Amino acid sequence: MPRPYLPKVITANALIEGDVVYMTAKGMWSRCMRDAEILNDEADAQIRLIDASAQSDDVVGVYLSDVAQGPNGAEPVHFREEFRRTGPSNYLHGKQEGQAHV
Amino acid sequence: MYKYSDFDAAFIAERNRQFRGQVDRRVAGSLTEDEFKPLRLMNGLYLQLHAYMLRVAVPYGTLNGTQMRQFAHIADTWDKGYGHFTTRQNIQFNWPTLSDVPDILDALADVQMHAIQTSGNTIRNVTADHFAGAAADEIADPRPVAELIRQWSTDHPEFQFMPRKFKVAITGSENDRAVIKAHDIGLRIVEQNDVLGFEVIVGGGLGRTPMIGKTLVEFLPREDLLPYLEAVVSVWNEIGRRDNKYKARIKITVHEHGIDAIRELVAARFAETKQEFAGVDMSYLAQFEDAFSEPVYSNRPVDAYDLAYSNDPVFRSWADTNLTAHRAEGYSIATISLKAHGQTPGDATSEQMRVMASLAERFGHNELRVSHEQNIILPHVHLAELPQIHAELSQIGLATANIGLISDIIACPGMDYCALATARSIPIAQEIATRFDELKLEHDIGHLQIKISGCINACGHHHVGHIGILGLDRAGVESYQITLGGDATETAAIGERAGPGFSATKIVPAIERLVLAYLDLRQSDDETFLETYRRLGLAPFKAALYPEAKAHAA
């Protein structure tokens, strides 16, 4: 039996900083997962992935990542994606550093 | 130490100029990522989980104070104020931006360093015994030979597109501190009838298919080294498997063809390569031997050391744990631990780097080493200076007395940084070190090496840890598998899997049960964990790790 389709977001790394980015509904890249557009339809997700992959001047390594719908937008379902959206656990670097200044 | 020739400096400057242009073209959009990726990898630049990572070669782990200071400068200027020393005796910067990397490479060139061949399917930075040139048990300093191999392998036209990466390690001592049996080629300087040569070991490696290297030749004359290495790499380059990445390393080639068949193929190729080396390599080697001549040692009283050793228990503990016998009277090899309890193994702040550089310049003949165990070494220090060195290290969090003990853990960056990782390594290392520090048991436990990898590629050398920990992704959850009885020395052995993995919250208590069981099982305080394991085998340790299974059986 085919596995049921899980909602997805489009994610990549920014070309200059390497920071993790997510595709928003307006087709822009955001550093924040809660801004990501959740793609509930498989065919739509594939088309959006092709469009996003074409933006190779801004980002590297575009792919679809499984998510769950949370109260504040997309939530990762795998721990790797949790680390990607948060940053390393040994120092408050990366995205955590940014949040500390907010 | 080796100093760049005009040719070397011009070569690096030209490579850096080219890479600056490549980065500019990538940013401007005229190079795609597919086109750019091999170019950045040739220059040691990876894209990791959260950022780029620049891996800088520390040739055979040797550097001077100026170079260490430059690392500090790079860390402060273009990174986040620290660097990570690796199991390949390199340093990694975890947070450079793409557009800053050309400036970083220029800053490295200013101190005769680079990041070439720290990635890609090339011959990587040659690693060596971190006590080279200082150890009391050494036959000859392996670094001139390591430099010869570096120059031969850098930009070698035949070896830029090989089936996979290729790693060479060398030692000049019977006691292997360079893990030579777990490298594609391991070299050991040996002496036969008063003549120096090499034992050549081939086909070792960790990763997905761990293997202990096999001896290809027991005594290779010195003058045959480069033509012979060229023959080995050439044979593998031709018959090594390119159809399957996981079967491409020379260990698989040796395994599939057998060591005797490889020996014959190498001999046939060597007959050709030997003709091509007209002895110019030996004249270079002679120059390098001059460059690595021993420091001028002084004969001074060691009263200051004796006094501190008798009166200061903190100093005494550090001296007992972190010093190694030096070949010169009145001198010692001091290992600076980058494993303060609870800190990230192998990380040093820019401030710590500057202190280490200053100590090397003032007290250590301007030499530093990076060990594959992710510590820094002052290889030549006079005993009389050690109290002062210890005092300065203490002020900056670098005086941890734990070399060779349970908290001196090797850990790869794991999923906190690495794009290939399947689980985290660093927090596990931090928690184990913190826990055993709380228990105040680590000096009782004695020599015990824990090595942690966050994926099967085994950068953390888990297969050769007395206790190895491998982090995996099991159905979307971090799971840690334990291996026991591994050995990274001249008696190298691959550890045995103990049983099912433990979750991130259960792995540290499991290690604690294991170590407490060892304390009960050992015959005397002198019997190390590895000795007890070899005497008793897996069973009693397994019982400690899986008490519920034991209860079930009863």
Side-chain angles (χ1 to χ4, degrees), chain B residues 317 321-322 337 339-342 399-409 429 432-450 515-516 518-519 522 525:
Chain B
S317 170
T321 314
N322 294 36
S337 171
K339 314 288 178 66
H341 300 106
T400 311
N402 64 348
I403 298 303
L405 303 182
I406 194 168
S407 61
D408 183 10
I409 298 171
I432 291 172
T434 304
R435 179 62 186 147
F436 281 92
D437 191 38
E438 283 164 6
L439 293 173
K440 297 291 166 217
L441 275 179
E442 76 171 331
H443 289 268
D444 284 340
I445 295 163
H447 185 49
L448 173 50
Q449 294 182 323
I450 297 184
V515 174
L516 294 178
Y518 151 68
L519 291 177
R522 69 180 176 187
D525 290 355

Side-chain angles (χ1 to χ4, degrees), chain A residues 13-20 56-57 59-60 78-80 83-84 86-91 93-94 97, chain B residues 26 29 33 47 49-50 52 80 82 95 97-99 344 347 415-417 419 422 424 427 473 476-478:
Chain A
N13 292 79
L15 174 66
I16 304 295
E17 298 85 2
D19 194 10
V20 175
S56 65
D57 289 356
V59 295
V60 181
H78 191 278
F79 61 88
R80 186 176 194 272
F83 299 138
R84 283 183 82 240
T86 311
S89 51
N90 60 333
Y91 304 116
H93 284 161
E97 199 170 27
Chain B
R26 175 70 183 104
E33 185 60 20
L47 180 56
L49 219 49
H50 317 289
Y52 288 93
K80 294 193 187 289
Y82 77 101
W95 301 95
T97 64
L98 177 60
S99 22
T344 303
D347 278 10
M415 204 182 270
D416 286 305
Y417 297 90
T422 45
R424 289 172 300 169
D473 172 354
V477 178
E478 288 172 295

Side-chain angles (χ1 to χ4, degrees), chain B residues 442-483:
Chain B
E442 76 171 331
H443 289 268
D444 284 340
I445 295 163
H447 185 49
L448 173 50
Q449 294 182 323
I450 297 184
K451 300 180 196 278
I452 309 176
S453 303
C455 84
I456 194 120
N457 294 310
C459 293
H461 295 190
H462 65 276
H463 297 111
V464 291
H466 302 161
I467 298 175
I469 300 175
L470 166 62
L472 294 168
D473 172 354
R474 285 282 181 256
V477 178
E478 288 172 295
S479 173
Y480 295 89
Q481 211 172 70
I482 293 176
T483 51

Side-chain angles (χ1 to χ4, degrees), chain B residues 98-118:
Chain B
L98 177 60
S99 22
D100 285 339
V101 172
D103 290 341
I104 301 177
L105 293 180
D106 283 348
L108 289 167
D110 287 344
V111 295
Q112 309 199 342
M113 300 197 102
H114 63 68
I116 296 169
Q117 286 182 212
T118 59

Side-chain angles (χ1 to χ4, degrees), chain B residues 251-273:
Chain B
K251 62 190 172 186
I252 304 293
T253 316
V254 171
H255 185 72
E256 288 184 347
H257 292 256
I259 187 76
D260 295 328
I262 297 291
R263 193 177 290 118
E264 278 177 33
L265 289 167
V266 169
R269 180 79 180 106
F270 175 68
E272 296 165 351
T273 55

Side-chain angles (χ1 to χ4, degrees), chain B residues 126-330:
Chain B
V126 179
T127 51
D129 181 359
H130 42 262
F131 295 161
D137 61 2
E138 187 173 85
I139 296 173
D141 186 345
R143 291 174 304 155
V145 177
E147 178 59 31
L148 185 71
I149 296 171
R150 173 165 85 127
Q151 300 216 2
W152 160 77
S153 62
T154 300
D155 217 30
H156 191 305
E158 189 181 334
F159 303 142
Q160 295 300 304
F161 292 95
M162 300 201 291
R164 251 338 232 122
K165 57 189 164 184
F166 199 89
K167 299 175 182 173
V168 181
I170 181 166
T171 180
S173 299
E174 180 73 34
N175 298 307
D176 179 13
R177 291 173 288 262
V179 210
I180 61 168
K181 289 182 180 172
H183 283 74
D184 296 289
I185 287 182
L187 297 170
R188 189 165 67 87
I189 300 175
V190 289
E191 201 170 10
Q192 221 175 61
N193 304 324
D194 296 330
V195 179
L196 292 182
F198 301 96
E199 180 187 359
V200 181
I201 294 162
V202 70
L206 301 175
R208 188 172 297 256
T209 319
M211 290 196 186
I212 298 297
K214 299 176 179 69
T215 299
L216 193 56
V217 48
E218 280 180 10
F219 185 87
L220 182 76
R222 258 159 60 96
E223 58 274 19
D224 287 347
L225 181 68
L226 283 195
Y228 196 83
L229 289 185
E230 184 144 311
V232 174
V233 184
S234 178
V235 163
W236 168 68
N237 197 21
E238 197 172 324
I239 68 172
R241 288 182 58 172
R242 289 168 194 266
D243 62 315
N244 183 338
K245 185 181 167 180
Y246 303 120
K247 294 185 175 172
R249 296 289 287 270
I250 197 172
K251 62 190 172 186
I252 304 293
T253 316
V254 171
H255 185 72
E256 288 184 347
H257 292 256
I259 187 76
D260 295 328
I262 297 291
R263 193 177 290 118
E264 278 177 33
L265 289 167
V266 169
R269 180 79 180 106
F270 175 68
E272 296 165 351
T273 55
K274 178 69 181 161
Q275 306 301 320
E276 293 162 8
F277 283 81
V280 64
D281 48 325
M282 285 297 103
S283 63
Y284 274 110
L285 182 58
Q287 284 176 34
F288 303 157
E289 279 167 344
D290 287 345
F292 287 99
S293 56
E294 274 196 65
V296 180
Y297 299 120
S298 64
N299 195 353
R300 283 175 280 160
V302 297
D303 304 354
Y305 173 84
D306 291 338
L307 194 69
Y309 193 86
S310 331
N311 294 340
D312 178 354
V314 177
F315 175 76
R316 183 162 62 242
S317 170
W318 181 79
D320 286 343
T321 314
N322 294 36
L323 300 183
T324 307
H326 195 284
R327 64 173 64 151
E329 200 186 327

